Amino acid sequence: MVKPPLNSGMMELDALFDEIRACRICVDQPIRAPLPHAPRPVIRGAATARILIAGQAPGTRVHASGKPFTDPSGDRLRDWMGVDEATFYDETRIAIVPMGFCFPGLDAKGGDLPPRRECAPAWRDAVMAALPAVELILAVGLSAMQWHLGSRAKSGMTATVADWRAILADTAAPSILPLPHPSWRNSGWIKRNPWFEADLLPVLQRRVAEHLRSAD
């Protein structure tokens, strides 16, 4: 039997990402109204990544930059994880795969719309299969929690994040840690739930450090 080249998994993932970056399903075959602008899918990762950040969808700044979390929410997420920018953007160690790959547009109040409904059913299973080394999934926001936890997710974001100890204990290969979105709009939520910074964040930082060390 001929063994595949050592980088074959990365080659397969690169090919998949090329397909995703060319995707126009939300314009050509939308579930509801089409995306109101040209698609610009944003996704990062390598087959060797041990940590997966499952976010929501790009915002306006990320749509412009083409690079995930290049905004204040990214600064906060990196602080939560206890990593610097270079580590955060090291695709060989951390993959960033949002639930919706493109900026979904703004609602009537100027906030971001939910992730497009076309992305995850079309692509997510294939992406997860192409990331075999992932040991820890950070499910950021309710959409990511519902997809990756399924019936294990509670009825709302707060209840699901509050159940983080049981979720972390009950999920394996990979384990899952639910997080609120690091948007500064959630600053009030963080103040109302002091256990998040006092109890969850130290565990998050410890687990991230452990998985990063295992990738070295």
Side-chain angles (χ1 to χ4, degrees), residues 3-216:
K3 291 184 178 180
L6 292 178
N7 65 344
S8 63
M10 198 167 296
M11 290 166 59
E12 292 172 6
L13 186 63
D14 286 346
L16 176 61
F17 279 12
D18 285 344
E19 289 188 46
I20 289 171
R21 291 182 179 117
C23 180
R24 290 180 51 85
I25 189 173
C26 56
V27 172
D28 298 337
Q29 297 175 290
I31 291 177
R32 292 182 180 172
L35 191 72
H37 48 260
R40 190 181 190 185
V42 177
I43 187 171
R44 290 174 66 91
T48 56
R50 300 296 179 90
I51 297 171
L52 168 63
I53 298 172
Q56 294 288 97
T60 53
R61 293 191 186 187
V62 174
H63 179 67
S65 70
K67 189 175 180 180
F69 289 105
T70 51
D71 52 22
S73 67
D75 295 334
R76 174 176 262 178
L77 180 58
R78 287 184 281 275
D79 183 59
W80 285 356
M81 295 172 65
V83 299
D84 59 21
E85 202 166 316
T87 302
F88 185 82
Y89 289 117
D90 183 348
E91 295 180 89
T92 67
R93 306 167 87 190
I94 298 176
I96 304 175
V97 183
M99 297 306 300
F101 298 132
C102 294
F103 169 53
L106 300 174
D107 61 23
K109 296 181 180 179
D112 291 353
L113 289 168
R116 295 288 307 194
R117 293 173 58 192
E118 298 89 353
C119 289
W123 295 109
R124 202 155 193 91
D125 286 347
V127 171
M128 294 304 299
L131 292 170
V134 168
E135 299 170 339
L136 174 66
I137 296 174
L138 306 183
V140 181
L142 188 58
S143 295
M145 296 175 202
Q146 291 173 334
W147 181 275
H148 286 282
L149 290 171
S151 61
R152 191 73 179 75
K154 303 292 184 180
S155 58
M157 186 270 288
T158 299
T160 303
V161 178
D163 197 36
W164 66 272
R165 287 187 180 86
I167 290 171
L168 198 56
D170 292 348
T171 55
S175 54
I176 301 174
L177 187 57
L179 300 173
H181 194 278
S183 167
W184 293 94
R185 296 184 181 216
N186 279 335
S187 295
W189 183 92
I190 293 170
K191 289 181 180 179
R192 293 191 299 273
N193 296 277
W195 52 265
F196 174 73
E197 292 185 317
D199 301 330
L200 190 155
L201 289 190
V203 174
L204 167 63
Q205 292 172 9
R206 184 169 66 250
R207 292 294 295 267
V208 166
E210 289 172 354
H211 291 296
L212 290 176
R213 280 196 298 271
S214 71
D216 293 334

